[in-house]
Amino acid sequence: MSTETIGVVGFGVIGQRWAAAFAHFGHPVRCHDPDGDAWNRFGMIRAALDADLVALFGAARPGGSITFFTDIATALAGVDHVQESGPENIETKRALLAEIERHVGTEVVIASSSSALHVTQMQADCARPERIVLAHPFNPAHIMPLVEIVGGERTDPALPERMRNFYEAVGKKPVILNREVTGHLALRLMGAMWREAIALVRDGVASAEDVDRAFVYGPGPKWGLQGSFISNSLNAAGIDDFLRKYGATYEAIWADLGDATLDEATRAGVVRSVTPMLEARGLDTLRDERDAGIVDILKAVAAKGAL
């Protein structure tokens, strides 16, 4: 991938990590946020982000730099690609994407980091909707590999595949959705599992700690290396054999799954069960250990993973 100047609009938790990742791979990054203090907050964590990237990918490529501007027009002058990471609100997204368009060249792709909004809605006010695409990362976005890519009704059909190549060149592992769905792909999978986790805690089946332990020491390692379909295939003589042997068991489980609703009582019960886990180590320590652990896990996945 040739060096490109990348604009990052929205310099919060996600935008800061996008910027660090792009710069690590040798791209000049021009960032915008109306909150000037965002640059100071980035300065407090930049060394840690860079250390994570070096541990995962090796030394940074030459040419990467990060500059910050509170004026959006100045920030986007001459950029080749825009990664938008503004607030998760459809009216804000529509206005922001239309604003970005006014400050970039007609061929510049504008990718949104939205976690749940539909591209069709976001691109509604754009003059060039064909170059609007979703590219949703997972937090911590500087080291988590997944990027979910999908276009809207008016997006150029060839654009998602172009974006796959773009993100692969900065160390990501993109997936392409064939159509828009709320929550995209991975968040839907996580949401389905977490709905049952909430129900199990709510109904007193197990504590939040034991629910998490069950995942970490059960499907977590296998699914992390090989995904659910390959992993289950290996529990039998292939996927057809697995479905025939265990299909009825899963159908019985599905029929018995909880229907969790986050009402006040459910939220209070989850908080009571989860809070001691957080207080025992502290949020900062848990975040630091998470990031360091992710690097180690991803190295193992790179060496042994199936996908």
Side-chain angles (χ1 to χ4, degrees):
M1 178 180 174
S2 60
T3 299
E4 297 188 12
T5 299
I6 299 175
V8 170
V9 175
F11 204 55
V13 170
I14 300 298
Q16 291 173 357
R17 285 155 178 77
W18 268 126
F22 290 137
H24 185 84
F25 281 86
H27 302 288
V29 185
R30 298 173 65 85
C31 305
H32 162 72
D33 198 287
D35 178 7
D37 199 46
W39 180 247
N40 296 326
R41 292 192 293 271
F42 178 63
M44 297 172 63
I45 64 170
R46 183 171 183 179
L49 301 184
D50 289 344
D52 290 341
L53 289 160
V54 169
L56 186 57
F57 297 111
R61 297 179 186 175
S65 62
I66 302 175
T67 50
F68 177 82
F69 308 87
T70 55
D71 178 68
I72 190 171
T74 305
L76 296 181
V79 301
D80 303 302
H81 174 92
V82 175
Q83 189 73 43
E84 175 271 318
S85 301
E88 190 76 359
N89 173 279
I90 188 58
E91 288 78 18
T92 302
K93 289 284 190 189
R94 287 175 61 170
L96 183 56
L97 293 176
E99 171 74 5
I100 291 169
E101 274 199 318
R102 292 194 283 272
H103 303 295
V104 299
T106 57
E107 302 303 315
V108 172
V109 172
I110 304 171
S112 176
S113 302
S114 171
S115 60
L117 299 176
H118 287 204
V119 181
T120 296
Q121 294 175 307
M122 292 191 289
Q123 68 189 176
D125 296 335
C126 291
R128 299 288 301 274
E130 67 275 8
R131 43 91 170 268
I132 308 297
V133 68
L134 178 108
H136 172 237
F138 266 63
N139 198 36
H142 63 305
I143 52 176
M144 287 293 282
L146 183 66
V147 177
E148 299 173 316
I149 301 172
V150 66
E153 293 177 359
R154 300 165 70 191
T155 301
D156 179 353
L159 186 56
E161 193 62 41
R162 282 177 50 201
M163 289 298 96
R164 184 202 297 272
N165 297 331
F166 174 84
Y167 290 107
E168 284 180 342
V170 291
K172 300 301 184 183
K173 299 292 184 182
V175 296
I176 294 178
L177 282 73
N178 297 321
R179 64 181 180 88
E180 296 175 283
V181 290
T182 300
H184 318 316
L185 182 56
L187 193 59
R188 290 177 73 93
L189 297 172
M190 292 168 59
M193 180 168 287
W194 208 47
R195 181 178 70 177
E196 182 59 14
I198 294 286
L200 290 168
V201 172
R202 178 199 63 196
D203 296 342
V205 175
S207 67
E209 180 176 1
D210 281 344
V211 169
D212 276 356
R213 286 174 67 87
F215 183 78
V216 168
Y217 295 109
K222 294 192 298 181
W223 287 19
L225 277 172
Q226 298 179 322
S228 64
F229 288 112
I230 291 177
S231 179
N232 284 338
S233 297
L234 299 182
N235 291 331
I239 189 64
D240 182 67
D241 187 45
F242 179 87
L243 293 173
R244 292 181 186 279
K245 285 182 175 178
Y246 304 113
T249 298
Y250 275 93
E251 288 178 330
I253 293 170
W254 294 336
D256 192 50
L257 290 176
D259 185 13
T261 301
L262 290 176
D263 54 35
E264 189 60 38
T266 300
R267 287 196 296 269
V270 170
V271 170
R272 283 194 302 271
S273 194
V274 173
T275 297
M277 299 163 57
L278 304 178
E279 291 179 342
R281 305 287 285 279
L283 293 177
D284 290 340
T285 297
L286 287 168
R287 286 193 187 98
D288 291 343
E289 291 176 346
R290 176 200 65 184
D291 292 0
I294 286 172
V295 170
D296 292 337
I297 289 169
L298 290 177
K299 287 181 177 179
V301 173
K304 303 292 186 180
L307 301 171

